[in-house]
Amino acid sequence: MSESPRRKIPEAALGRLPIYLRILVDLSHDKVTQVSSEQLAELAAVNAAKVRKDLSYLGTYGTRGVGYEVQFLTYQIQRELGLNQSWPVVIVGAGNLGQALANFTGISERGFHIVGVVDKDETKIGTVVGGVRVKHADELTQIVQAKHVSIGIIATPAQHAQEAADALVKAGIGSIMNFAPTVLSVPRDVNVRKVDLALELQILSYYEQCRNNGLRSVPTGNQSDSVSA
Amino acid sequence: MSESPRRKIPEAALGRLPIYLRILVDLSHDKVTQVSSEQLAELAAVNAAKVRKDLSYLGTYGTRGVGYEVQFLTYQIQRELGLNQSWPVVIVGAGNLGQALANFTGISERGFHIVGVVDKDETKIGTVVGGVRVKHADELTQIVQAKHVSIGIIATPAQHAQEAADALVKAGIGSIMNFAPTVLSVPRDVNVRKVDLALELQILSYYEQCRNNGLRSVPTGNQSDSVSA
DNA sequence: AGGAGTTCGTGAAAGAGTGAACAAACGAAT
DNA sequence: ATTCGTTTGTTCACTCTTTCACGAACTCCT
């Protein structure tokens, strides 16, 4: 299967495809069948030329004078992002954050499903979060291999994040999403994305301070998202 | 007070300052007093020249042939980011995510404190999360103004995110951190950063798919973080 | 004091991302 | 069939970011 992705998509564009995708799904829900780059740009709060350029990395799926067919474009973006299948995901850490993630419906609605949650804390083991029973961290490798998991989420405290990463790597995982505020050290072929809540707040703090000092310098065109590189 | 920030710091550099800051705090904890750009780069998993250039936006705080004094640099970064003070933050939405955020110690340890959590769900009101009692959303403006809050966090479901944003803006908030998977529409002078968990996973999905198709194309130098713009 | 060995700060080049502008291609209307 | 208005796909100029490379400045050792 799969006409493989024609070329590699630039990081910046890649980060916007999921946004377009979500908007398209919403539009489809509203029975909209066609959409122009202009409309899509408006909904995504970006430039229309950017939308067209981003979409052109996927192929030539628009019709001049008309726009894009919502259903078709939705399918193409999904295919490109590998969202035809539902990816099994394992969560390491069953604390507040781990539980919230496991219960987060947005994950299961958008191409992923939680197949395991592990922790080292005996009091958490056996409890059920997000529909799965929490297991001991020692069982991580077994879960990963049995369920063919390639994406792992680290939701442990910072001081345990590296060992969680090591365990995930050893279990054979290829991609890690890290919520702990730590820089992980992993083999080169393992892909890591991090989300650092405090970091984002600190950036807001900077702009708030600028504002208070009279230097009105909100980054031109607000609505930033976190970037990984 | 405050020698105001000399110039505006580029977004890319700004996103790394909190990382350096965290590393410096850790080093300080380990009684390390001096650090070179090379070491800092290693710990942050970036290029040493980048570290030096990033830090040069703050001023000339290094000593050639020696490196940077940990304590001093820590202070300077904190000052630049506006982290001398502890910023009051309000959370809208007391669901799984809102609760996790309110309980997340990393927030309070790094320059912020939760002064309010609001929700519209009557069953949640009155419960205590993260040390504060959940209040009704109608009281948002009052909380914001009484506590001089300028940063708000949206942790509502997607369909209520825009009204949460509107309420925050009306209450007079200047910066919003949005966890709901929606593009918010806000006045130009309000700064928004978004964190979209599913979006990040979808990017990982893309790379996993590439890997499976034989196109080994992990973005050169892994460990990306989310970017907002 | 002077030389050897470090390490910073920065200029300049290379690379990536953005946005304006326009030709090509389409539908609709006459 | 032709014309007209629309919208895409892409080129080009510009900005932002990253990386290299090197002079300047500091410490330590002799």
Side-chain angles (χ1 to χ4, degrees), chain B residues 131-147:
Chain B
V132 303
R133 189 170 298 273
V134 177
K135 298 206 175 153
H136 192 278
D138 293 343
E139 300 186 52
L140 183 60
T141 298
Q142 192 218 312
I143 296 171
V144 167
Q145 284 167 7
K147 305 278 177 81

Side-chain angles (χ1 to χ4, degrees), chain A residues 11 22 80-81 87 175 181 184 190 193-194 200 205 207-209 222-229, chain B residues 11 22 80-81 87 175 181 184 190 193-194 200 205 207-209 211 222-229:
Chain A
E11 263 287 319
R22 186 161 35 71
E80 192 74 26
L81 292 177
W87 296 86
S175 291
L184 297 178
V190 173
R193 292 190 73 84
K194 76 168 149 34
E200 302 290 333
S205 160
Y207 287 116
E208 279 300 316
Q209 178 181 247
N222 50 22
Q223 206 106 180
S224 323
D225 34 19
S226 56
V227 185
S228 258
Chain B
E11 263 287 319
R22 186 162 34 71
E80 192 74 27
L81 292 177
W87 295 86
S175 291
L184 298 177
V190 173
R193 292 191 73 84
K194 76 170 150 35
E200 303 289 334
S205 160
Y207 288 116
E208 279 300 315
Q209 177 180 249
R211 183 197 309 259
N222 50 22
Q223 206 105 178
S224 321
D225 33 19
S226 54
V227 185
S228 258

Side-chain angles (χ1 to χ4, degrees), chain A residues 45-81:
Chain A
V46 298
N47 182 296
K50 200 186 281 185
V51 170
R52 292 198 293 276
K53 181 163 294 194
D54 289 345
L55 297 180
S56 76
Y57 292 117
L58 307 182
T60 302
Y61 297 139
T63 307
R64 301 179 185 209
V66 179
Y68 302 87
E69 207 209 319
V70 175
Q71 294 270 346
F72 186 63
L73 189 55
T74 302
Y75 170 75
Q76 291 299 342
I77 296 180
Q78 277 179 337
R79 188 178 58 77
E80 192 74 26
L81 292 177

